């Protein structure tokens, strides 16, 4: 993970600020995350598991514009990953 602070991810998870909203025509999962700085905004996260290498994309500025973001991620994507892991391991 990049320089993302775990406490920010924990806050997203504890406030239930990220949720699965459906799938698109390519069968990618579509998630929605509420902005922590402006609750009237939300960002869409796509999880593509149709290729050999699963990938995530987020609409938030941090994901789009952070040049030091290697591999590409953001707190919203990391929250989705942790939520999916918890669901898979039944550790909710």
């Amino acid at each position: 993970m990049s320089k993302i602070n775990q406490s920010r991810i924990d806050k997203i998870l504890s406030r239930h600020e990220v949720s699965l909203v459906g799938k698109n025509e390519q069968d990618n999962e579509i998630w929605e995350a509420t902005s922590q700085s402006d609750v009237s905004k939300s960002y869409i996260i796509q999880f593509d598991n149709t290729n050999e290498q699963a990938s995530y994309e987020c609409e938030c500025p941090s994901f789009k514009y952070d040049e030091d973001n290697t591999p590409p991620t953001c707190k919203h994507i990391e929250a989705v990953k942790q939520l999916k892991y918890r669901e898979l391991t039944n550790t909710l």
Side-chain angles (χ1 to χ4, degrees):
M1 185 169 33
S2 66
K3 59 186 179 225
I4 300 167
N5 186 320
Q6 182 62 43
S7 66
R8 295 176 133 201
I9 297 166
D10 292 341
K11 186 184 276 188
I12 290 169
L13 294 172
S14 69
R15 293 181 179 178
H16 304 284
E17 293 175 336
V18 65
S19 59
L20 180 64
V21 293
K23 293 188 176 194
N24 65 13
E25 53 277 347
Q26 291 84 28
D27 210 30
N28 298 336
E29 290 180 355
I30 308 297
W31 294 75
E32 184 175 38
T34 304
S35 168
Q36 290 182 319
S37 60
D38 182 354
V39 294
S40 68
K41 289 183 182 177
S42 63
Y43 303 112
I44 299 298
I45 302 120
Q46 287 195 51
F47 171 59
D48 181 356
N49 196 24
T50 59
N51 299 316
E52 262 184 51
Q53 181 69 35
S55 64
Y56 289 85
E57 289 186 15
C58 184
E59 295 178 337
C60 78
S62 179
F63 181 82
K64 288 182 175 181
Y65 304 114
D66 186 353
E67 293 177 6
D68 297 329
N69 200 7
T70 305
T73 193
C74 66
K75 63 186 175 186
H76 309 110
I77 288 172
E78 294 304 320
V80 169
K81 286 179 179 179
Q82 289 182 26
L83 187 58
K84 289 175 70 60
Y85 177 80
R86 289 178 186 181
E87 289 174 354
L88 288 171
T89 58
N90 295 317
T91 56
L92 294 174

